[in-house]
Amino acid sequence: MDMARSPRWKRLDRWVVGLGAAVVLALSAVVGGVTSGGAADDQRDGTAGASVAALGSAPEPGEAASRATAIWEFWVTTAAHLSGAVGTNWRTDLEVHNWGGTQASFTVSLLKRDQANTSPDNRTYSLGPGQAVRYSDLVSSMFSFSGAAAIKVSSTYDSLIVTSRTYNDQPAGTYGQFVRGRPLAEAVGPGEQGRVIHLTHNRSTTSGYRTNLLFVNATTASMQLNIDLYTASGAYLGRLQRTLAGYEYKQIDRAFESVTGSDVTDGYAVFSSPTAGAYFFAGASVIDNRTGDAVFVPHEKVTGSAPPPPTPSPTPTTPPTGSFGPITFATGVNSSTGEPINPGTSFAYGITRLYGIWPWSGVTPNTAFRFDWYRNGSAIGGGNSTLPYASGIAWQWTDGSPLPLGTYQLVIKVNNQVVLQGQCQIVSGSTPTPSPTPSPTPGTGSLAFRLTWNGTNDLDLYVKEPNGTTIYYNNRGPTSTGGRLDVDCNAGCDPARMCSTPIENIFWPTGGAPAGTYEFWVDWYKTCSGPTPTNFTLTVYVNGAVAQTYSGSLNGADSQHYTYTLGGGGGGGSVNMTMVTPSGWSGCVVCNYREVNPPVYQFLSIYYTTHVYWAVQNTGSSTITGAVKFGFYLDGTHFFTVSYSNSSGWPAGQGLVFHYALDTQSYISAGTHTFMVKADVDNAFAESNEGDNTCSTTKEWTTIVFSPENGSLPPGQSAGSLGVPPIQLARDEVDVMPVEHLELVVPEEAVLPRPPKR
């Protein structure tokens, strides 16, 4: 039969290369031709698979039973139902069109992120000739799944077209990217490269763009993936390596931050695999940090093996100053002290991460350096970084699953000159797996953000300072303000870095935390051995006291972004709110049924307004800027919050008297109660003394109602008989401290419930 003249083969004859590749994959599975190595990240496109029968002529009548059926697969590189960075909400719609003349059945498979998907969750459908169908938000609506995934559509019919749209769903509308289902002919295979261009990355999360790299293994065998990153001028930035299980989908968020500390205005990525029989799809999402608008850039296939990282041309250099090394190799490192865990020069086969740990001293702070790893003389990875201080300890690592046998070398360069190198070996044998170590003690200081979670998965804490600097595992600090990451548990799923109770902690020493709004979130870096989903808790500490707590659950995707505003005065104890008792007052908190001057207690009833007076002095050394909130407590229960706008600032040494008229019947029942006022109830300010900002009074609220003839006085008393004139709210009548009136902040019922009536 002439394929070119057969309607059945009309579309097939454009896929000859793809079918040949598909046959190789099918045969390698039969004979067990499986190789392993490397690592990877998210997003897939492509088709995989056709039987040998698809290469020959179409079967004659009666031959079908003796031949295998061709399977046509369409790979959609990325799909999602999740909340992403900077307030984004990602959703995916899938469209399938049957252009043929007969009914076509097809199967949709969900390939979840960061796991093998050789037995995926499937759904099967049928589509009439000439028809199209759209599945809105299919990750959730079809599979009831939340997270990131790739989609594979397979059919015994070659008459399907598959497209998708992944978009950021916002109240004002959507921003989306088009991702089509790609056939296997477009997969990157042995001896080929996948080049992804038009990439931009800015470290800021509020301006510019971010680049997330996406890739998927199009075979059922494990494979290694190498990703080399360059600037548009061809300057080599570094290599990322990932290992992909069968049909595994991965994603590397903000990929350029792993190889450079600078913004990349224009760059590109080169994907390749040294694994025999490997086929994969790659791409990138370039996302506008301001709007959440995303553009999908698929790989373009280039024939030829990937070149080694370029050697820079010789340039005049300045001899580096300071001392470096020596390098200690180990299977783990204490992230708090830099001490090596299981150090040595020879390691038994089976380890998944190898560290090179080295000290430096006598250098100019922020000195740039380059590191490169070699195995048996061939480059396997590297990157650029800086030495932030005059002295310290640095470490780099290389990953594998496990790392292959061989001689490993780490080379450190400053000013393009080798300043340090060392080598070790991985040999046959077995290395005992270290037991999880106790979690290091995290720092607290004046401000701390702490992440805790359950299990062995690697979660990462990110904190963005008010000045825009983001602290995380690749920018540990200390920053210019003193903030730094001091505890990083479960890093890279390395058994030597597992903690019995995983913690990540970012803190500022006393006196260092600047005032302003901090943005913080949790990044799902890598799935280790579970559990999935993973529960987490985020806690904000101010001077060691809990200010805010958030809890959630992650399943392969990042958390939402949270914010915390630290009050003015520079943080770290340069401001302090102290409850004081002015001259003539009966206490630092006074409750009465009417306004009097000076404030004294006369009488209280649940049927009359409770006038609350309290006095506070800024005993710190700096001006308090920003709104100050005060909490009302009844018998130890926080039931009410009021706010002072503080629009003009509260100078050091100044005292203020506050007054609020409380609706008694809504909050207080008859009886004797302890009424307390707490300054800075939301811990928005890092005070030098958190123990002197409360004051309380214990009084009885009666059920007495005044008789009409006495107006607003208790029975048996006349105006003036109490000996205290009614207060006039003019400032010039207040001794030393001005009177300030407050606006009510209505609490949410779930947070600050009203006390029950008794």
Side-chain angles (χ1 to χ4, degrees):
M1 179 179 289
D2 185 349
M3 290 173 58
R5 293 167 52 190
S6 169
R8 165 109 170 83
W9 297 94
K10 184 175 293 183
R11 189 160 181 254
L12 181 61
D13 63 2
R14 294 182 290 161
W15 293 358
V16 173
V17 175
L19 289 171
V23 172
V24 172
L25 295 179
L27 291 178
S28 69
V30 172
V31 302
V34 177
T35 61
S36 64
D41 284 8
D42 249 80
Q43 217 149 337
R44 325 176 172 180
D45 287 355
T47 65
S51 68
V52 177
L55 284 178
S57 59
E60 298 295 337
E63 290 185 349
S66 63
R67 294 196 176 183
T69 302
I71 302 297
W72 305 94
E73 295 180 354
F74 301 82
W75 294 68
V76 175
T77 307
T78 183
H81 178 92
L82 56 84
S83 297
V86 199
T88 51
N89 293 287
W90 298 106
R91 304 290 185 264
T92 297
D93 297 345
L94 181 75
E95 183 104 2
V96 181
H97 171 57
N98 177 12
W99 57 268
T102 61
Q103 188 94 352
S105 60
F106 59 91
T107 298
V108 182
S109 302
L110 182 72
L111 308 178
K112 299 177 182 178
R113 178 178 175 176
D114 295 331
Q115 67 178 56
N117 291 290
T118 51
S119 299
D121 195 2
N122 299 320
R123 301 289 186 273
T124 300
Y125 303 93
S126 183
L127 190 61
Q131 294 183 348
V133 61
R134 180 175 302 172
Y135 300 98
S136 299
D137 192 16
L138 87 156
V139 174
S140 175
S141 63
M142 187 181 294
F143 294 100
S144 300
F145 176 70
S146 294
I151 301 297
K152 182 180 72 171
V153 178
S154 55
S155 176
T156 57
Y157 297 83
D158 67 336
S159 59
L160 297 182
I161 297 173
V162 177
T163 62
S164 75
R165 177 177 181 254
T166 293
Y167 52 92
N168 174 18
D169 190 10
Q170 296 293 327
T174 65
Y175 295 97
Q177 58 185 4
F178 172 79
V179 183
R180 71 182 180 91
R182 302 178 71 179
L184 186 63
E186 299 178 20
V188 181
E192 297 175 332
Q193 300 174 10
R195 295 206 168 210
V196 182
I197 66 172
H198 209 115
L199 307 181
T200 300
H201 186 78
N202 301 95
R203 298 180 71 84
S204 171
T205 59
T206 57
S207 63
Y209 302 84
R210 64 185 184 274
T211 290
N212 299 338
L213 297 180
L214 321 160
F215 39 93
V216 60
N217 183 355
T219 77
T220 57
S222 175
M223 62 167 285
Q224 177 176 310
L225 190 66
N226 296 332
I227 309 165
D228 293 302
L229 298 175
Y230 298 80
T231 66
S233 65
Y236 182 65
L237 297 175
R239 169 173 285 186
L240 305 175
Q241 291 184 304
R242 296 292 186 269
T243 299
L244 293 175
Y247 289 166
E248 183 174 9
Y249 161 76
K250 282 184 175 290
Q251 177 170 321
I252 302 179
D253 295 336
R254 307 176 184 88
F256 281 99
E257 293 185 8
S258 298
V259 296
T260 179
S262 303
D263 289 351
V264 178
T265 303
D266 189 5
Y268 63 92
V270 179
F271 294 78
S272 62
S273 176
T275 304
Y279 288 85
F280 65 89
F281 294 89
S285 283
V286 183
I287 306 165
D288 190 321
N289 288 325
R290 296 158 296 183
T291 64
D293 189 17
V295 174
F296 177 70
V297 184
H299 77 256
E300 295 295 332
K301 187 165 60 173
V302 177
T303 302
S305 60
T311 301
S313 302
T315 56
T317 59
T318 302
T321 60
S323 62
F324 306 88
I327 297 176
T328 299
F329 292 95
T331 61
V333 62
N334 185 318
S335 59
S336 297
T337 64
E339 291 294 319
I341 299 173
N342 298 328
T345 57
S346 182
F347 302 91
Y349 176 77
I351 65 173
T352 59
R353 175 170 285 189
L354 177 65
Y355 288 90
I357 307 163
W358 49 278
W360 80 89
S361 63
V363 306
T364 302
N366 297 315
T367 292
F369 73 94
R370 172 160 186 85
F371 65 92
D372 289 286
W373 284 95
Y374 298 86
R375 181 172 60 244
N376 298 330
S378 298
I380 58 174
N384 301 298
S385 188
T386 58
L387 303 175
Y389 308 108
S391 62
I393 299 176
W395 57 85
Q396 286 74 46
W397 62 86
T398 182
D399 286 331
S401 57
L403 286 164
L405 300 176
T407 298
Y408 287 76
Q409 184 182 33
L410 175 62
V411 178
I412 308 297
K413 294 180 180 180
V414 175
N415 296 339
N416 205 32
Q417 298 184 42
V418 176
V419 297
L420 182 63
Q421 57 184 314
Q423 69 180 38
C424 66
Q425 290 184 318
I426 296 179
V427 298
S428 298
S430 61
T431 300
T433 300
S435 301
T437 58
S439 301
T441 302
T444 301
S446 60
L447 177 65
F449 296 84
R450 190 168 304 163
L451 165 66
T452 58
W453 68 98
N454 64 310
T456 63
N457 293 330
D458 183 9
L459 306 188
D460 286 316
L461 173 62
Y462 284 66
V463 177
K464 181 180 177 183
E465 297 183 280
N467 64 10
T469 300
T470 300
I471 304 172
Y472 67 113
Y473 69 88
N474 204 38
N475 185 34
R476 295 171 175 264
T479 63
S480 60
T481 63
R484 68 186 181 98
L485 171 69
D486 67 330
V487 180
D488 182 6
C489 285
N490 297 9
C493 302
D494 185 350
R497 302 186 71 183
M498 290 291 171
C499 299
S500 55
T501 304
I503 293 175
E504 289 218 4
N505 189 74
I506 294 173
F507 81 102
W508 283 255
T510 300
T517 298
Y518 293 75
E519 182 180 359
F520 56 104
W521 64 96
V522 182
D523 173 73
W524 183 289
Y525 181 81
K526 190 173 184 180
T527 301
C528 304
S529 56
T532 302
T534 294
N535 299 321
F536 72 90
T537 300
L538 278 170
T539 306
V540 182
Y541 294 87
V542 176
N543 279 347
V546 175
Q548 288 183 359
T549 300
Y550 304 93
S551 297
S553 181
L554 299 182
N555 191 359
D558 297 351
S559 76
Q560 70 181 78
H561 287 222
Y562 306 90
T563 59
Y564 179 76
T565 300
L566 184 68
S574 57
V575 301
N576 194 60
M577 283 168 269
T578 303
M579 303 291 281
V580 295
T581 303
S583 175
W585 285 36
S586 57
C588 49
V589 171
V590 176
C591 296
N592 194 40
Y593 82 105
R594 64 171 184 160
E595 300 179 51
V596 292
N597 184 19
V600 295
Y601 165 74
Q602 298 172 313
F603 166 80
L604 291 167
S605 171
I606 63 171
Y607 298 110
Y608 297 93
T609 299
T610 295
H611 291 271
V612 183
Y613 298 89
W614 66 101
V616 187
Q617 185 176 11
N618 178 7
T619 57
S621 58
S622 299
T623 297
I624 299 172
T625 59
V628 180
K629 294 182 180 180
F630 298 90
F632 289 176
Y633 293 74
L634 193 69
D635 300 326
T637 300
H638 182 195
F639 72 96
F640 203 78
T641 300
V642 292
S643 179
Y644 169 47
S645 63
N646 192 28
S647 57
S648 300
W650 191 345
Q654 184 183 53
L656 296 176
V657 168
F658 299 93
H659 166 251
Y660 188 80
L662 181 69
D663 179 10
T664 309
Q665 280 194 290
S666 295
Y667 300 98
I668 302 176
S669 59
T672 299
H673 302 292
T674 297
F675 191 101
M676 185 180 78
V677 177
K678 180 177 181 179
D680 189 29
V681 68
D682 57 347
N683 283 322
F685 300 87
E687 299 181 72
S688 58
N689 183 359
E690 296 286 351
D692 61 357
N693 58 3
T694 63
C695 185
S696 61
T697 181
T698 301
K699 292 291 184 285
E700 180 184 7
W701 275 260
T702 70
T703 56
I704 296 174
V705 178
F706 298 154
S707 59
E709 60 271 20
N710 285 329
S712 60
L713 295 178
Q717 293 183 325
S718 60
S721 63
L722 296 175
V724 180
I727 190 169
Q728 302 296 318
L729 295 180
R731 288 181 179 268
D732 56 5
E733 294 187 11
V734 180
D735 290 336
V736 183
M737 302 179 185
V739 174
E740 295 289 349
H741 290 280
L742 306 179
E743 297 179 357
L744 167 65
V745 174
V746 180
E748 296 182 9
E749 289 295 326
V751 179
L752 302 175
R754 295 182 179 182
K757 296 284 186 175
R758 292 187 290 273

